[in-house]
Amino acid sequence: MTAANTASSLDPIRRRVLQRRIRLVVAITISYNVIEAGIALAAGTVASSAALVGFGLDSIVEVLSAAAIAWQFAAPDPEKRERVALRVIAVSFFALAAYVSVDAGLSLFGVREAEHSQVGIALAAVSLAIMPVLSWFERRTGRELGSASAVADSKQTLLCSYLSAALLAGLLLNSLLGWAWADSVAALVIAGFAAKEGLEAWRGDACPVPVSALTGERAAETGH
């Protein structure tokens, strides 16, 4: 059964319930990313942690990406803004990858050394616990609703949990074993992820879905 058939077979009341759930999880995810970014950037600056700073910047870029897509679909003809929106997203990810790579390189070559960050460890652990749950909830709801866009967005949220795991591993190795280089390795993992996201956006491989489509306020194209 296709996504369109699944959606059309739903009772209207049930559909509205599922749409409200999607709206809730999207709002929670965006709000958490904003809070996560603020804590990560502050803690990363204090500890000179390239991984924490990169993690915070990645959260900001993810929110800015959603804003760019929202701007695109606010126009009467979204396709005319698609190229600009994708370029903005791509450049943001490229800039993030470059900054974090340089910052990690400075640490690896001994220019500066990342300090321990208990706040960062706690943040990474919380994110690792929260993100998979949000991803699972959105994926399950999206499948019942027949929304390909919601399922795709849930996969993006799951990727964030992988970054949280990389960050947590780097911070723990630095804190427990004194391996300062582990922080830089975690930062490079984040930079690699950002570069990959940037390339996909630049090539147009990313599936730009507005929040209104995820929440049911505007129908998403089932072909994406």
Side-chain angles (χ1 to χ4, degrees), residues 6-23:
T6 300
S8 62
S9 64
L10 283 174
D11 177 84
I13 296 178
R14 179 61 177 171
R15 183 181 297 110
R16 286 194 294 270
V17 170
L18 294 174
Q19 290 172 349
R20 283 196 297 270
R21 288 181 182 177
I22 294 292
R23 186 179 295 111

